[in-house]
Amino acid sequence: MKMMWFHLMPYTELPDDFREKHPSVWVDIHSSLFDPKRAHLMYNDFMDELEYAADCGYDAICVNEHHSNGYGLMPSPNLIASALSRRTTQVPICVMGNSLALYNPPTRVAEEFAMLDVISGGRLIAGFPVGTPMDTCFAYGQNPSQLRERYLEAHDLVIKAWTEKDTFAFNGRFNQQRYVNIWPRPVQQPHPPIWIPGGGSVETWQWCAEMDYVYCYLSYYGYKAGKATMDGFWAEMDRLGKDRNPYRAGFAQVVAVAESREQAIELYTEPAEYFFNRCLHVDPRFAAPAGYSTEATQRAGLESMVKKAANAQSLIMGDKTNRGMTMADFVDRGYVVIGSPDEVVEQLNALADDLNVGHLMLLMQFGNMGKELTQYNTRIFAEKVMPRLKTRFSEWEDRWWPKPMQPAERAALPGFAPKLAAE
Amino acid sequence: MSEPEVSTVDVNGFATRIWRKGSGAPLGFLAGFGGLPRWVPFLDRLAERRTVIVPSLPGFPGGDRGHSVLDTHLDWLLAVRQIIQAAGLQGADLAGSSVGASMAAEMAALWPDSVRRLVLIAPFGLYDETDPPLDLWAQRADQVAGLICADPEIWRALKAVPEGANSVEWPIEQTRAVEASARIFWPLGNSRLERRLPLVKAPTLLLWGEQDRVMPRSYAARIAAALGGPNEIRTIPGAGHLAELDRPDMVADAILSWVG
């Protein structure tokens, strides 16, 4: 099993009464809550944490894209990934990802991802989310009725821009370009591995299977709630005659480790409650603009309450359910995998058994967790949990992992001394 | 209230419903936000004196997924033009509400011969940043009824699943209508209709619900000032955005007296 360290980059100083006084963490969160000088410190801490995770030996470090969002300070994950590609040497960098329909022309994504792949020496994982309604339709003004068609067309354009050797004209429904010829071209051929973060729509699963892409379910509500969606995914893979290679899938999980369960509860309760109660407080009016969910997804939702939990509204529905919830609830429900190293190994083995997911994306900084605690969590997991899970799924080949340049071909990196080595 | 005669025409490969009832000179009606999933009393009032013809807009109830192939505003105008002609409304009197009113105004502007006399009920299409329209696409589901109609029960009754209807497909059709309006007007509702209003030469009656919470009433004067033909503004007391649903008799009377 690959263990990937994922940062959302939340603003860590939302007020205690945020939930009561403010309608939403997303789209119309008030600018008065943002202090740029405090955010300077946050960004630098966050990037330190990602670099620290690389030093600790995580399989990859991950960043993602959100807009007008108090729990995700990365409108451009590519900027962070660019800095990381110069501050790390070996670790794959997973940009999870760029919402293709938001870029005009979408070849911008082909260019920037190619730059990242070249600078990092072929370490990029290219994520292509449709993007949430909050990010795409509201913060970025995209038409919900055209979003998916634009996304699919942009995908085709980006792939062609990466793989076509000659300058070509693209005559799309939404994008027309006379001269497409990106420089640079990606190191990884024909292109970096493509991963698709998505909700529980059957169409997305089918598309991932058809294109041979990794499907990632990035829920914040843990492996117990995520089981219905992943069961649906694997049932669809079976139906399509695909193997059950766990590396076809990724899953995000909040994880908190300490020496003992009691100590873990004491250390992580505040950041967990901050994350679930403040960061995920989203106004439902932004949850479901008509047209964002396909009619097939709506039909599945109306026909089955199980699938409803997996649609684009899951985050909002979670927020409603969570009202007034505390750490004990988050732990009971599996939102947070928590405890001593033994207990966390046990829970993550259960996750691996239940979800059959080869790419585990670990949310180890969450809410207002500071750098010191984040690094503690990161290091104790790396030392005491990771070695015991590494061999899970070793019988399967991960065909969706970056293939970097050979060390001998790589640039000598600038004067960067890994912090652990310096200690 | 008896049922109208129903027929369909093919528009871009999608079966598009046309309702017809009554006798006398034809009078077209293009429905507003959310469309008409069922026949309403307002249309009966019109049918008492005229042949009322109600074509569905693409993606609206009765309009199948016609919206899904319309990518630009020109695509929309040509599709609606086709529907108007196929419905036998060329040269007829035309009324429209909300989204439908915007399309009715476009028809009169671009094809002046296609419309005799025009009635617009709180049309979409304008945007004034000092007095913006409500963002109807970003509302909590339980609040929409009270924003569209002065009496929310009227909207709820219009949208309620009828006895024997498919309980899955019916709500999808209602969502589709909202999507179709978004496809035309996302994100601000501004189709720059104002630029084309001077081309409208047909005599135009502008109706506005006194309690319209969606389209600012200040837009009535802006539209009147821009129109290229004679026009008149009338406010409908006790009515919200879809005034024809809140005050069917009053709105029907106003339309019938305007078209003569």
Side-chain angles (χ1 to χ4, degrees), chain A residues 71-301:
Chain A
Y71 81 70
L73 297 183
M74 281 185 282
S76 173
N78 301 357
L79 294 181
I80 304 293
S82 172
L84 292 173
S85 60
R86 286 276 294 171
R87 297 275 296 171
T88 60
T89 55
Q90 306 297 325
V91 71
I93 297 169
C94 175
V95 181
M96 201 77 236
N98 285 183
S99 297
L100 288 170
L102 303 187
Y103 298 89
N104 181 14
T107 42
R108 179 82 188 183
V109 174
E111 291 173 333
E112 292 194 5
F113 272 0
M115 284 179 72
L116 285 170
D117 203 46
V118 171
I119 293 168
S120 69
R123 289 187 281 146
L124 179 72
I125 295 168
F128 291 150
V130 171
T132 69
M134 290 70 85
D135 291 312
T136 57
C137 301
F138 293 107
Y140 260 47
Q142 273 295 331
N143 194 317
S145 182
Q146 297 183 342
L147 183 69
R148 280 166 207 277
E149 290 157 344
R150 287 179 179 274
Y151 167 85
L152 290 170
E153 181 178 303
H155 161 271
D156 295 348
L157 172 51
V158 167
I159 298 300
K160 196 168 179 191
W162 276 342
T163 53
E164 181 74 40
K165 301 301 175 206
D166 296 312
T167 303
F168 66 91
F170 189 81
N171 181 29
R173 187 170 165 188
F174 304 102
N175 301 279
Q176 299 187 352
Q177 276 172 270
R178 176 68 84 171
Y179 305 101
V180 181
N181 178 28
I182 61 155
W183 275 66
R185 301 298 181 113
V187 162
Q188 297 183 81
Q189 288 295 319
H191 54 70
I194 293 173
W195 295 21
I196 309 295
S201 93
V202 178
E203 293 122 308
T204 303
W205 299 337
Q206 291 168 347
W207 190 65
C208 287
E210 181 196 333
M211 305 302 294
D212 202 28
Y213 294 160
V214 171
Y215 166 73
C216 301
Y217 185 43
L218 304 185
S219 156
Y220 301 130
Y221 297 107
Y223 69 105
K224 291 181 186 170
K227 182 166 167 46
T229 296
M230 292 313 301
D231 282 351
F233 171 77
W234 290 116
E236 189 60 24
M237 293 307 109
D238 291 345
R239 202 186 64 78
L240 295 170
K242 300 291 175 184
D243 62 25
R244 291 178 69 86
N245 186 334
Y247 294 109
R248 291 186 180 281
F251 186 78
Q253 176 68 55
V254 176
V255 175
V257 198
E259 295 300 334
S260 69
R261 185 178 178 85
E262 295 68 34
Q263 191 198 6
I265 298 283
E266 191 187 316
L267 287 173
Y268 299 112
T269 292
E270 189 196 335
E273 292 187 356
Y274 181 102
F275 179 63
F276 287 104
N277 291 331
R278 286 182 230 180
C279 292
L280 302 187
H281 173 55
V282 183
D283 192 328
R285 74 194 189 94
F286 300 127
Y292 177 84
S293 291
T294 64
E295 293 189 356
T297 300
Q298 292 176 51
R299 210 160 273 130

Side-chain angles (χ1 to χ4, degrees), chain A residues 260-378:
Chain A
S260 69
R261 185 178 178 85
E262 295 68 34
Q263 191 198 6
I265 298 283
E266 191 187 316
L267 287 173
Y268 299 112
T269 292
E270 189 196 335
E273 292 187 356
Y274 181 102
F275 179 63
F276 287 104
N277 291 331
R278 286 182 230 180
C279 292
L280 302 187
H281 173 55
V282 183
D283 192 328
R285 74 194 189 94
F286 300 127
Y292 177 84
S293 291
T294 64
E295 293 189 356
T297 300
Q298 292 176 51
R299 210 160 273 130
L302 287 160
E303 283 165 355
S304 149
M305 291 309 286
V306 176
K307 283 190 179 160
K308 199 164 186 176
N311 71 13
Q313 293 185 61
S314 63
L315 193 143
I316 310 297
M317 292 172 57
D319 183 58
K320 273 188 195 160
T321 320
N322 291 348
R323 208 140 287 175
M325 275 172 51
T326 61
M327 187 63 167
D329 302 304
F330 305 145
V331 173
D332 281 350
R333 290 162 187 243
Y335 294 4
V336 181
V337 161
I338 192 167
S340 67
D342 283 349
E343 290 164 330
V344 168
V345 166
E346 187 187 328
Q347 291 167 76
L348 292 181
N349 268 319
L351 180 154
D353 293 339
D354 288 352
L355 308 187
N356 193 45
V357 163
H359 299 118
L360 182 59
M361 300 175 163
L362 299 152
L363 295 162
M364 307 201 67
Q365 188 288 344
F366 46 86
N368 59 353
M369 193 188 295
K371 182 160 76 176
E372 196 183 339
L373 184 55
T374 301
Q375 293 189 339
Y376 170 77
N377 193 21
T378 301

